[in-house]
Amino acid sequence: EEKIKIAKKGTIELITEEELREKLQKRKPVAYIGYEPSGKIHVGHAITVMKLLDLQRIGFKVKVLLADYHAHLNGKGPMEKIEEMAEYNKRCFKALGLSDDTEFILGSSFQTKEEYTHKLYELSLITTLARAKRSMAQITREAENPKVAEVIYPLMQVIDMIFLEVDLALGGMEQRKIHMLARENLPRLGYNAPVCMHTPLLHGTDGGEKMSSSKGNFIAVDDPPEVIREKIKKSYCPMKEIKGNPIIEMAEYLILPMYDRMLIKRPEKFGGDLELGREELIKAYSSGELHPLDLKNAVSEYLIEIFEPAREYLE
Ligand code: IYR
C-alpha cells in the first residue's frame, strides 16, 4: 500500500493500479522511459526523473532509453550530433541521482536487429494509419509536411517495450496515445502490455504550451543559480491564476511531491513566512494572498537546491 502511494505521488494517470500491484509482486520488475536526446535537460525532464527515483525506491529496476533513432526520425538532426547529446543527457540523468544499477540503452543498439524489424512489420500490419498519426499529435515537430517517419516512430516505441522487457512504461501525458496503442496491440502480437504511468506536462517559462529545449523556455538542471533566479523572475506567472502558470506547475509537480510542504519566505510587512501544502498553495495563490514575486523567489531557491547535486556533478 505504501509502495503504491509512493508510485502514484505526483502522477496524473496510472493504467492500471491493479496491474501495478501485481508487478510489485515480481522479484525485480522493470520500469522504463525513453527520451529523445536533447540539447538541454530541464525541469520537464526532472519531473520524470524524480518519478524514476521513486520507482527505484520501491524496487523497480530502471532502464532509460536514449532514443537516438526516434530523435532522428523526429527531425532533430544527424545521428552523430544526436549521439553526442545522448552522452551528455546520460550524465545529466545520473547527476539527478539515479542509482548505479540504472541501465542506459541507446536505441540504435537494438532497433535495427532482424527480430526488431520483423516485429515492427507485424505491428504495422495491425495498426491503422489514422491511429499511428493521432498518437503523434503532441510529439511530432513537423506540422506542415508530415513524413512517413512520423508513423514509424510510434510503432518503434511500442516494439521497444518488447525488447526492453518492461513491466511499466513512464512518460509525460504527451506519450499517452502511444502507450494506449501499445496496451491495445501488444497483446494482439502475443505480448503482455506494460503498466502505463503519466506525469503532468509543464508549460514553458514564457507561458507557451510546452517546456522545450528547442524553444528556449526552460530552466535547465545545470543552469547556475543566478541564471535560475533570472529566468524565474522573467517567467510568465499571472497573479491569482493557476491554469497554465508554469511557476505554480513547478511547485505543484516537482517541488511539492519531493518536499510535501513548501516554505515561502516573505518579509514581515508582506505577511511573514508561509508554509504550505499543495491545496493551501493553490488556495493562497488564487485568492491573491500569495503574490507572484514571493512565489517566484521560493520556487527559484527550491530549484537551486534540487539541482545543486546535478550542477556539481556536471562541473
Ligand atoms: N516519445 C518519446 C521518446 C521515446 C520514448 C520511449 I518510452 C521510447 O520507447 C522511444 C522513444 C519522446 O517524445 O521523447
Side-chain angles (χ1 to χ4, degrees):
E1 236 12 73
E2 188 56 26
K3 286 184 177 179
I4 300 275
K5 204 173 130 200
I6 294 175
K8 283 170 74 173
K9 177 184 50 140
T11 66
I12 39 180
E13 191 171 50
L14 170 61
I15 310 168
T16 66
E17 184 169 326
E18 196 173 309
E19 290 175 25
L20 175 60
R21 264 174 225 284
E22 276 169 34
K23 298 291 190 187
L24 284 168
Q25 306 297 322
K26 286 180 86 167
R27 202 183 57 80
K28 197 75 185 167
V30 173
Y32 108 118
I33 185 166
Y35 299 100
E36 289 182 21
S38 154
K40 276 292 169 190
I41 295 303
H42 52 65
V43 186
H45 297 99
I47 290 175
T48 57
V49 175
M50 295 305 148
K51 184 42 61 185
L52 291 175
L53 295 181
D54 288 337
L55 293 171
Q56 262 173 356
R57 212 170 301 137
I58 63 172
F60 276 91
K61 171 174 177 69
V62 167
K63 296 184 182 179
V64 175
L65 175 67
L66 302 163
D68 54 351
Y69 257 131
H70 282 86
H72 186 56
L73 289 171
N74 202 6
K76 304 262 170 87
M79 287 298 271
E80 308 85 74
K81 279 277 289 293
I82 293 171
E83 238 95 290
E84 272 169 39
M85 293 195 286
E87 219 20 70
Y88 160 75
N89 288 181
K90 182 166 145 183
R91 278 163 38 80
C92 291
F93 294 135
K94 282 191 177 165
L96 286 169
L98 287 169
S99 70
D100 288 338
D101 82 330
T102 306
E103 214 178 310
F104 291 90
I105 302 149
L106 210 53
S108 60
S109 70
F110 65 91
Q111 288 162 341
T112 56
K113 288 202 171 136
E114 248 173 73
E115 270 304 290
Y116 186 97
T117 310
H118 175 73
K119 290 181 170 73
L120 188 68
Y121 293 160
E122 293 305 313
L123 179 60
S124 75
L125 212 46
I126 61 168
T127 307
T128 66
L129 202 46
R131 177 88 186 262
K133 241 190 108 56
R134 240 183 301 131
S135 74
M136 288 296 285
Q138 285 180 278
I139 296 172
T140 184
R141 266 161 51 101
E142 179 79 61
E144 288 279 283
N145 196 7
K147 307 297 189 300
V148 175
E150 181 175 319
V151 292
I152 296 177
Y153 180 121
L155 299 186
M156 285 175 60
Q157 188 162 335
V158 171
I159 302 301
D160 290 343
M161 298 175 191
I162 303 175
F163 265 72
L164 299 175
E165 303 182 297
V166 304
D167 295 293
L168 183 151
L170 174 68
M173 268 308 260
E174 80 283 4
Q175 308 296 322
R176 82 180 300 277
K177 287 191 174 161
I178 298 182
H179 286 171
M180 292 306 107
L181 182 67
R183 286 187 56 92
E184 199 172 307
N185 284 350
L186 282 177
R188 295 171 69 194
L189 295 180
Y191 298 95
N192 289 326
V195 175
C196 296
M197 184 178 263
H198 302 130
T199 52
L201 291 183
L202 263 189
H203 286 80
T205 51
D206 55 357
E209 203 49 52
K210 191 181 170 198
M211 183 171 289
S212 148
S213 51
S214 53
K215 290 192 194 116
N217 60 4
F218 59 84
I219 310 283
V221 300
D222 51 0
D223 277 342
E226 320 80 71
V227 174
I228 295 183
R229 290 191 191 101
E230 198 53 37
K231 283 183 176 177
I232 296 283
K233 203 160 97 190
K234 288 193 195 136
S235 286
Y236 177 75
C237 184
M239 180 112 124
K240 295 187 184 180
E241 217 166 293
I242 303 291
K243 241 187 120 205
N245 183 332
I247 306 300
I248 287 284
E249 289 171 345
M250 289 183 216
E252 200 182 348
Y253 306 152
L254 181 71
I255 299 168
L256 282 165
M258 294 180 73
Y259 292 84
D260 275 331
R261 300 182 72 75
M262 239 181 116
L263 178 64
I264 296 175
K265 296 216 173 94
R266 287 195 304 195
E268 228 25 84
K269 63 175 173 181
F270 296 129
D273 294 355
L274 289 171
E275 205 205 293
L276 307 170
R278 181 178 165 275
E279 262 145 55
E280 296 156 307
L281 172 77
I282 302 294
K283 213 170 128 210
Y285 194 77
S286 43
S287 70
E289 183 197 340
L290 173 58
H291 189 274
L293 252 182
D294 295 314
L295 174 69
K296 282 181 167 185
N297 286 333
V299 165
S300 294
E301 296 316 308
Y302 274 100
L303 291 182
I304 289 168
E305 182 171 308
I306 293 168
F307 296 153
E308 144 93 20
R311 268 194 313 278
E312 264 180 20
Y313 180 99
L314 287 166
E315 250 173 29

